[in-house]
Amino acid sequence: MIELPPVLVYLLGAALIPLFGRGRARKALLVAVAFIGLACSFSLRPQTSWVVPLSGFELTFLHADRLSLIMGYIFSFIGAAAIIYSLDVVKENGEYICGLLYLGSALGAVFAGDFFTLYIFWEIMAFSSLGLIWYSRTERARNAGMRYILFHLFGGCAFLAGIIIHFMNTGNIAISPIEQGIGYLLLLIGVGVNTAFIPLHTWLPDSYPKATIAGAVFMSVYTTKTGVYVLARTFPGAEAFIFGHPFHFVAYIGGLMALYGVIFALMQNDVRKLLSYHIVSQVGYMVAGIGIGTAIGINGGIAHVFNHILYKALLFMCMGAVIYRTGRMNLTELGGLAKRMPVTTITCVIAALSISGVVGFNGYVSKGMVIHAAELSHMHILVLALTLASVGTFLSFLKLTYFTFFRHTENDIARVKEAPLSMLVAMSLTAFLCVAIGVYPKMLYVILPDVGAAMHYDAYTPGHTMGTLQLLAMTAFMFVALKVLIAPHERITYDIDYLYRKAGRGIIWFCEKPLMAFAGAIDGVLKRIADSFVWFSRNPVAASVILLTATGTKLMRPLNYVSKEAEVKRLTIEEPRERLSIGTGVLLVLIFFLVYLIVMLIHGWLAP
């Protein structure tokens, strides 16, 4: 097969969709695009490149190495699964077009070899994913979409500014680690928005729950993981020196994300908002691994990207199926679905065990690799944060699965059916991989960036395995003991975006009230000054007489010579005491310029 950028397959598919209507022909096209894109990604070999010269630059639309290839494999696989999942759900062509553009631009970004190509696909991702939110066609989705795109416009501007500064400093546009400076900071902020750094994360739990059922599956995969990939390319092992000692601040940002996300996830009632906060938490493990910067750390971070995409997409598929069949998205409204939706229940339990890092599932392999990298680097606080986040994750998914599928409820579920066949096929394939990688992790190790370091890692050492099982057993006991406390409730949870919104309202109030009042006052003063100049220019002599008379009257006021003040004030330029002819006015102007010329000659201002 000809080795071309896989993005071309999806862009062509998006262009062809309107020509195939809405029936079986469209489904056939979508399945063909899914499998051709998958084959195109898997046919690439390391060191493959596709370069386009443009205006003195070389834009690299395809740069294949072990890091970009593993991202291409998982992006194209889960893209195929998401397309199959959506066949019986999505009705409008526009939503498919947005989904294919989103998938294609994410692949374009991971295979980009230079910053400008990366930026092009970075922005296409932002705007195409916006359509997946707005196709919900609700007011909440429209508002969330506006906040989503504002965040990404801010991140995109910071990202572009960092690229430009980096290029001006180095003359190099190839994607590579960045030197510290203002460009370094701006690039980190731009990447941090897409990667959901705290406190730049609020767009994610705000927008993902409002997306369409199929759109949320796509969105759970691409934006944050593309950010993690770019982080691995540009900021591996990033350090700052504090009191002369190196501090792996990116790794600790990851630890903060892991804890922060899981705490907020435990408080959610909306199932997709709970999953969205867990994206923040799980991306924290990836960021931590890349921030550690060692071979095992980067391997762990990328392995967790791979595994997370599988189980997180599966979780969004399962919850999407539940919402599709029941029309309900809050845990307080769900329950007892295990008998009615058995395949959905089984696949969701597999995904929940995977994300929780249970022994025998894929999350256990990659999560353990990241924590092991932190232990080897003696980052004890980071190890503690990631371990506590694991406890919170298991609690969250015990809560999700129990209250969705196993709790006895009086809700009317008699008419609920199992999800459509296309959904079940996509979910079953993804669940199979979650188990297969957990049982035989070497199938993942062989495609990691540093295969040698990966092969030396043993996920199933007795100490690590027993320690994980003990931690999970303790967490399960906590769930049983505290089930009443962590049961879902109808409540509003405020995140950092509450402060953003308050600040935004304050800025709007300041602009509408004090600032507009000040601008009005300035405008009034300037108008009065302009009116005064117009008044004076109509008859300068009469105006001068009036001003002199008024001034003299005010100065004489203490001596009670005020009898004519009112009369002077009533004098207007339209009723002058005397009028000058045009010739007299011209003469006065000439006399002024003559005097000015004499002064200039006396002081030598005209000398060369």
Side-chain angles (χ1 to χ4, degrees), residues 17-32:
I17 278 181
L19 306 178
F20 282 72
R22 297 188 178 185
R24 293 182 178 178
R26 185 179 71 178
K27 288 184 178 180
L29 172 66
L30 288 165
V31 172

Side-chain angles (χ1 to χ4, degrees), residues 76-335:
S76 55
F77 171 80
I78 210 65
I83 289 170
I84 293 170
Y85 176 87
S86 68
L87 291 178
D88 292 322
V89 180
V90 177
K91 305 302 179 185
E92 299 188 59
N93 283 336
E95 187 174 344
Y96 277 122
I97 292 171
C98 289
L100 290 180
L101 287 174
Y102 186 36
L103 165 56
S105 57
L107 278 164
V110 300
F111 283 116
D114 66 273
F115 277 117
F116 288 127
T117 303
L118 171 62
Y119 176 74
I120 292 169
F121 290 118
W122 193 267
E123 291 302 294
I124 295 174
M125 275 199 309
F127 284 95
S128 55
S129 57
L130 176 63
L132 299 176
I133 302 170
W134 278 350
Y135 265 104
S136 290
R137 300 188 184 281
T138 64
E139 184 178 357
R140 294 175 70 237
R142 286 194 299 271
N143 294 337
M146 284 300 299
R147 293 188 290 270
Y148 174 89
I149 200 61
L150 285 173
F151 247 109
H152 285 283
L153 284 173
F154 163 73
C157 289
F159 192 63
L160 179 59
I163 290 171
I164 292 171
I165 293 171
H166 172 70
F167 173 68
M168 292 174 64
N169 290 338
T170 65
N172 182 23
I173 62 170
I175 299 175
S176 58
I178 307 299
E179 296 180 359
Q180 293 196 1
I182 186 66
Y184 179 97
L185 179 61
L186 289 170
L187 265 170
L188 187 62
I189 291 172
V191 175
V193 169
N194 275 33
T195 315
F197 282 2
I198 309 296
L200 305 173
H201 69 287
T202 56
W203 57 270
L204 196 159
D206 179 34
S207 59
Y208 283 19
K210 282 94 170 179
T212 63
I213 289 175
V217 176
F218 280 96
M219 295 185 74
S220 69
V221 175
Y222 296 112
T223 300
T224 50
K225 294 2 158 260
T226 304
V228 172
Y229 166 80
V230 176
L231 194 73
R233 286 285 189 197
T234 52
F235 300 99
E239 293 179 341
F241 284 87
I242 298 178
F243 301 115
H245 297 284
F247 177 70
H248 292 268
F249 67 96
V250 169
Y252 285 96
I253 289 175
L256 175 62
M257 292 170 65
L259 272 178
Y260 189 96
V262 81
I263 290 169
F264 273 85
L266 279 166
M267 297 188 287
Q268 301 309 313
N269 186 29
D270 184 319
V271 293
R272 292 198 297 178
K273 196 161 190 177
L274 183 152
L275 297 181
S276 298
Y277 272 111
H278 269 294
I279 293 178
V280 177
S281 178
Q282 293 297 302
V283 170
Y285 285 90
M286 307 167 204
V287 172
I290 290 163
I292 292 168
T294 59
I296 189 67
I298 294 175
N299 270 345
I302 299 302
H304 206 61
V305 169
F306 194 99
N307 289 333
H308 171 82
I309 287 173
L310 291 173
Y311 58 65
K312 183 58 69 175
L314 178 55
L315 286 164
F316 270 94
M317 288 179 189
C318 295
M319 290 302 105
V322 168
I323 294 169
Y324 182 74
R325 284 308 193 197
T326 67
R328 301 165 183 173
M329 58 187 65
N330 291 330
L331 289 172
T332 49
E333 301 169 337
L334 295 170

Side-chain angles (χ1 to χ4, degrees), residues 45-63:
R45 295 292 178 265
Q47 311 311 316
T48 305
S49 63
W50 204 65
V51 180
V52 177
L54 183 65
S55 300
F57 294 99
E58 287 189 346
L59 299 184
T60 306
F61 286 90
L62 176 59
H63 173 74

